[in-house]
Structure formats: structure tokens, C-alpha cells
Amino acid sequence: MGSLQSSTLSQVFEKMLKGFRRLVLSSVSLSRVSVFGSLLVLGFFSSVSAAREAEDKWEVPQPSLPLQDFRFPTESELISELGLSDRSVYRDSALLVENWVRGRMKKRNKASLTALCASTLDTHETHFPMSAFNLRCVPWWLEQRSFAPKDDGAKRSLRRKRWNRKPVRNLSDWQNLEGVTYRQFVNRFRPRSEKTLLRHARFALNESVGCDSHIGLAGFMNRAEEFLPATRVWSEIQKVYQKYYQCTVNTQLGQEHTHLRMGLTAIFFSELDLAEKALAAAESAPGQNERQRSLFWLGLLRRKETREREIVSHFRNPHWEELRQKFPLSIHTVLASHVQGVDPYNILVGDVEQLVRRRDGLQWNDYNLVALMFDLFVAREAAGALKVWSERIDRNWKETNNDRQLFLALAHAKATNYLGSIKTLTTYLRSSESRVFHVKFLKMLFPTPFQEKILKHSAGLDPLVVYGLIRQESAFNPRARSVANARGLMQLMPATARGLARVRTRDLYDPSKNVRLGSKYLRKLLTRNDHQLERVLAAYNAGQRNLSRWLKRFPGANDLLFADLIPFKETRSYVSLIQRNTYWYGRLWADQKGHYGPELASKMEQSNSRSRTVDSLLKLSWSGGTSQESPLSLLPPVHDLRHFSRKNVSQ
């Protein structure tokens, strides 16, 4: 590695003297700052040796390491990498850095150090002049350059924008929807009866209501779902959708959400041609957030155009091929792969070399300083500073380089900031050109902390499901608290917890108590919902009352179709993500033959909370595709649609 160019000895001495004068002129006496002042004085009289150190060559032993071989350096290795000879000054600087990061430095002491760092480093703009003394200025340097709030000059109004809250009641209201957003219309349009809804269907189809009211057409279909499975309502929804489709198909006005829901509802009602038309529109709509669903169901509908044995080759199904490329971990990809006789694990995991970049470049740029702080706190076992630093980087640092992202993900996980680690790895997964990863990468994506407590307190539940739920609810942060006031690992509401046992609100932050109460609540929901896990997960997220309404709306729906038909975007994502998590925990926790450890296997055998979908997919994985249960049994029968006929729905 090349050397780090720094100031000459005389320049550094002059800057240190300038900083010392500024410190004196700021009326901060050394007697008042006591120990802190002595550290600064010690650093000042060590400036000569510091300057010499700054001119030494910076040699990084291994700037990049394979993911499977990565480890953080020890403190001795870190000091050797930095080329620091004065360890006493280094220790003082490291202590100041920890106190700065944790916010334990008094204001006057922080102001003094800020003034000293500003005067010492004011001529350096591109890189940091590293030395044992300057090490204490790294947090200040990064806060000034990388963490400072960005002001684009735009003044944001704190006043909420007002809009017309008058209910939509008559034809004139439909004719005056210019400037109304989708959410505003849905809030204004609340028909209380099927008769009122059908009257508004006539308004929506009126010739005087043009394409500029397409938002109203989408909002009508949203509200009309509440009156399903009534045949007359479904007929009017189709008519309104035809008008919406004609208005938006060749423009950028169509909403993915509207087309997708129409396509899935059409599958439920056996209208497969309409379903394919709507799903194709959803796939090409702007601003896509649920493309994996459109691709999966479009790929499934291709089966009606080909013989079943021909779909084994995934090259005959471009929708599922794209699904596998863009969403390699999703439950839709897993199911599509098994239908085609392909093991998603074997496609995704391989003996590849993924590099972790500890340092990048020949100088102490901002990324190298960020990584150095992680290394420093890990080496010094400063858990508090490491946690705070991880959260700060997670909030303020946006990394695009894949090799750097791997290091940051490892550092976040080391700080037990699993949410930061998972978010960084997800960004890596989306931007990486490679579609094959080392198994350690997947294990980082699906971490398993709190094993002893979760296995002990999740009696009667499948530990894989509990892990999948906790990963989605809190990302294993026992101090997590949502905007809705849900708390702890399993995100329990205080009122819900008090209905299960005598418990104080602060007890929900205790991992053992939270998992015990959360497991008890899950068992209660399982009993109420006939042990159908997908429904239980929907009730856990959105409440039992909402689930009951949705079941009446789509009676007899296939589990997978019902999960994608859930009206709340948060809840339908929640259910499918926990299915995905459970599957991958099952694959990563077992050996090559599908065997689990004795304790985990015993817990799974005693469980009555296993997902039929995930359980079947795991059995297919271990059997090599020779399982007696076909993956086709998990799908809606798009050939034989008697189960979804209107006759059965009306019954």
C-alpha cells in the first residue's frame, strides 16, 4: 500500500501552537478541565512524535478478505497497522473518541477539543492526517464532512396541506375530482350499503366522468372489495375496471396496486383472461413495489397455455425466470422454483469468494475512518461506543460499493445492530451482479441470536416460525418500540400483554418475558383460527377483526392467494416475509440431509404452528423433489377451477 502524505514537522508544530493559543484565548483554563486538559497538554507536547508518525507509511496487511475468513483485528494489530509508536497518546486518544461517540464528554471539554481539531486539521480537505494524537479528532472530522445535515435550501412548510373532506355522494362530485389524490378519494368515499355502492358504479361509468377521474375509478374498486363476494358487486367492479384500463393502459397514470388487486381477484373468481390482462398491466405500471407478486401469478397463468410437464423447464417461463433473478429469496420464488423442479438453495448458494473490504484507497478517506472506528471499538471491547457508532452509521452513511457493504454489515452485526446489518445486506443483494452467494452471507441475512431464550420460552410453537416472526417484527432488537407503541422482540402491545398475564410495560423489553408472552398470544390465535398459520400471522399484525372481514370477503381461497389478497399492504407483506424467513431458517439451520439438532427437532415435532406451505417446501427440499406431496398442491388449481366457481363462492 502507498503512504499517507501529511504535513511537515514544522507545519504540524505551528498548527498545534495555534490550537493551543486558541484554547487559551477561549477562556477555558486547564484547571477547570482537569483531566481532560492534561490530556490535551500531553497531546500538545507529543506533537513532534505525532508529526513523525504521520509521515510514516501506512501499510494495510489485508485490505480485503474473503467473507468466510474475515475477522476483526486485535488492538495490537490495529496499532501496528496505524504505525503508532506512542501507545500512551494512542490510549488517551482512544478514550476521548469513545467518550465523544457515546456523548459522555462535557460541553466545555467537547468545545475545547473541537477548537483544537479545527485548528490542527483546517488545511486538510481531502484526507485525514493520521497520528496517535490526531486519532481523537476522527469523530469530529466525520461529523463535519459526512454526518452534517444537508440543507438544499428548500423551505418546508410545517402546515399540513388542506384538502376537501366533503364526502363523495353524487354525480357532480365524480365530475370534480381534479387534483384529488387516491388516498383522499378513498377517505371521502365510504358507501354504507351495497345499494349505495351500485348507485356510485353508475356514476363512475357515466360518460360525463372522463379519464381525468381515473383516481376515482381506482378508489371505487378499492371500496367495492368490501362487499365481495356478492356477484352483482363483482360484475360492477369488472365494468369499472374496463374503463380504468382503457384510461391508463397506454399512459403512466395506472397504479400497480389497482391492476394487481384486480388480477388476483379475477383469479379468485375464475376469470383467468381478465386476470392475465390485469397482471400484465401491473407488471408494466410505474412505481412498482410488489412486482414479485405480478411475476409469480403471471408465470402461474402460463400453465393454462401449456401442458403441465412442459413447465419443468424454467426457460419456458420468462416471468418466473425474472422472478428468480430479481427476487431470489422471496416465498414466491421458492415456490415457483420447486414447481419447476429446481432447488432455490442450490441456485443461490455456492462456493464463491465474496470480498470484505476493510480499507479502500491509499489515504485516510471518510470510509476508511468509518471502518477504523468500528475496528477500534471492537478491538477495545467498547460495546457501548460500538452500538452507538453502528446506529449513527446506519442513519447517516449510504454505501454503494458491494465490498464495503459487506464490511459494514459485519460491523453492524458485531454491534448487535441486526436491523442495520440486514438492511445493508439487502441493499447488497439488490445491487450485486452475481446471483450466487456464500452460505455465510445467507446466515448473516438470517441471524439467530437469543437461541437459548427463544427455544426455552416458545413452547408449543415451531422455533423456525418464531425466529421468522421476530426477524420481521424487531430484527432482534429487545428495545424496539414501534410508532403504534408495540414493544420488544415480538412487538407486543402493553394492553395485549396485560391481557395475557400480570406484567409491567417495562417487562416487555426483557427478551425472555417478551418471547414467553408473545408465544402465548400466538398459541391463542392458533386455537381461534384452526391452527392455520398464515391466518394467524395476519391476525397478529392487523387484528382478529380485520382477518374475519377478509375471510368473509374471500371464502375458501387458497392459502397463498389469500395472503396476496389481504387488503393491507403492510399485512400481506408481513405474512409473505415471515413465510420466506421461516423457509430460509429451515434451510440454513439443518444439515445437508435436512436433520436438525435434537432440541430444535424436538420443539418442531411438538409444535402445532407449522405453516403447511413452508413445511411442504422444506420436505421437497430434503427429498430432492421425490416427496409424495407435489408443490402444485400449494397452488390454486388454474386448470380445474371448480373449487373457485361462483357457485361455491355464493354458498
Side-chain angles (χ1 to χ4, degrees), residues 383-401:
L386 178 62
K387 181 76 171 179
V388 173
W389 186 250
S390 173
E391 293 171 351
R392 187 172 300 174
I393 295 302
D394 186 29
R395 289 193 305 268
N396 297 285
W397 188 269
K398 305 301 179 185
E399 185 55 66
T400 57
N401 179 280

Side-chain angles (χ1 to χ4, degrees), residues 181-236:
T181 67
Y182 174 78
R183 183 54 52 196
Q184 290 169 357
F185 179 87
V186 170
N187 287 334
R188 290 172 56 186
F189 180 59
R190 296 178 181 272
R192 298 183 178 275
S193 67
E194 182 178 327
K195 181 179 179 180
T196 303
L197 180 77
L198 296 176
R199 180 166 59 87
H200 278 278
R202 293 193 295 272
F203 294 157
L205 296 171
N206 191 288
E207 292 182 358
S208 63
V209 177
C211 287
D212 55 347
S213 299
H214 67 278
I215 288 295
L217 302 177
F220 171 86
M221 289 183 279
N222 178 294
R223 287 300 186 193
E225 279 189 18
E226 299 174 4
F227 297 89
L228 293 176
T231 304
R232 290 184 63 190
V233 172
W234 169 239
S235 177
E236 294 302 315

Side-chain angles (χ1 to χ4, degrees), residues 94-165:
L95 181 61
L96 287 171
V97 166
E98 291 177 21
N99 289 337
W100 180 296
V101 169
R102 298 192 67 182
R104 292 189 170 184
M105 189 177 291
K106 293 182 179 180
K107 288 184 178 180
R108 60 176 180 271
N109 294 346
K110 187 173 182 178
S112 300
L113 182 56
T114 297
L116 181 63
C117 292
S119 62
T120 305
L121 307 176
D122 58 357
T123 61
H124 295 271
E125 297 182 358
T126 59
H127 66 277
F128 186 86
M130 182 59 68
S131 69
F133 180 80
N134 288 350
L135 177 63
R136 67 194 64 190
C137 293
V138 170
W140 170 85
W141 174 277
L142 289 173
E143 286 182 8
Q144 298 300 309
R145 294 164 56 88
S146 300
F147 300 163
K150 297 179 181 180
D151 183 12
D152 57 2
K155 295 182 179 180
R156 297 182 179 180
S157 174
L158 298 179
R159 182 181 301 174
R160 297 182 64 179
K161 184 178 179 180
R162 294 183 178 181
W163 51 276
N164 186 2
R165 297 176 182 271

Side-chain angles (χ1 to χ4, degrees), residues 34-44 92-93 95-96 133 136:
S34 61
V35 177
F36 180 81
S38 64
L39 292 176
L40 290 181
V41 174
L42 177 61
F44 174 74
D92 294 339
S93 293
L95 181 61
L96 287 171
F133 180 80
R136 67 194 64 190

